[in-house]
Amino acid sequence: MRIQLPWRIERSAVRVILVDDAGAVLLLSSCEAGNAADGPVWQLPGGSVASGETLTEAALREVHEDTGLALSPDDVSPALWRRDVLRRARGRALLQHEAICTVRVKGVAPDVDPAACSEERSDDPRQYRWWHPGEIGSSTDSFYPSNLPQHLPALLRTEPVEEPFELVE
């Protein structure tokens, strides 16, 4: 049973690991307008799963909204990492039920279209970067999911990850 309180949001979401032909992974960096002091975090493209939408449909829509890339449903892997995340978002508590999948994209570091950024996030400063997995593993930057550097090698091998919960403070 889900309980909706005025101070809390609960939703289902999908995150996508976009991998190019050179094995690089696309991450975007943003600061929520209300949390700018927290600094940027490099994160996987993704967002909410709309009512009646499948994970694949949500993954394709969210990737297009975040990057402008149009992908095929056949390119989306099954969810490899399912987890619940409790975090702060725009000043409210958010309980998010996430599914993380992978998508192989054609070419090396295909261009993304920052103008494709959805209106909801248009106030968030964004950078896009294709990272080689080793760079993510050795970086001192912050990532979302926070254990992405640890789990990325398994996810790139399409191996499931068993880490069901993250508390983001």
Side-chain angles (χ1 to χ4, degrees):
M1 178 173 103
R2 293 185 177 176
I3 300 171
Q4 188 73 30
L5 299 174
W7 54 270
R8 190 179 91 191
I9 301 169
E10 186 172 355
R11 69 179 186 181
S12 294
V14 63
R15 296 276 171 190
V16 181
I17 300 170
L18 293 169
V19 186
D20 75 0
D21 286 340
V25 174
L26 181 67
L27 299 177
L28 57 93
S29 176
S30 70
C31 290
E32 291 183 3
N35 298 333
D38 294 343
V41 175
W42 289 99
Q43 59 187 302
L44 298 169
S48 293
V49 177
S51 178
E53 198 173 38
T54 68
L55 284 177
T56 298
E57 291 167 341
L60 296 173
R61 178 183 50 75
E62 285 291 340
V63 165
H64 188 262
E65 287 176 4
D66 284 349
T67 69
L69 296 173
L71 306 171
S72 165
D74 296 334
D75 297 330
V76 181
S77 78
L80 298 171
W81 185 5
R82 290 186 181 269
R83 66 199 210 116
D84 289 331
V85 180
L86 184 59
R87 67 183 183 96
R88 182 174 39 121
R90 302 199 189 293
R92 295 167 67 179
L94 171 65
L95 175 59
Q96 186 159 276
H97 310 287
E98 283 186 350
I100 299 171
C101 57
T102 61
V103 172
R104 299 274 173 184
V105 296
K106 292 179 180 23
V108 176
D111 289 334
V112 297
D113 181 6
C117 185
S118 68
E119 202 173 295
E120 173 187 336
R121 300 181 195 118
S122 63
D123 62 342
D124 296 349
R126 287 197 164 214
Q127 295 177 323
Y128 297 84
R129 179 175 167 197
W130 288 94
W131 295 68
H132 291 282
E135 292 176 304
I136 294 171
S138 63
S139 177
T140 58
D141 288 352
S142 295
F143 295 92
Y144 179 84
S146 63
N147 283 338
L148 180 64
Q150 174 187 343
H151 295 307
L152 187 59
L155 293 164
L156 293 175
R157 293 188 304 266
T158 65
E159 296 172 3
V161 168
E162 295 296 326
E163 185 176 278
F165 183 76
E166 181 176 357
L167 174 62
V168 180
E169 298 187 60

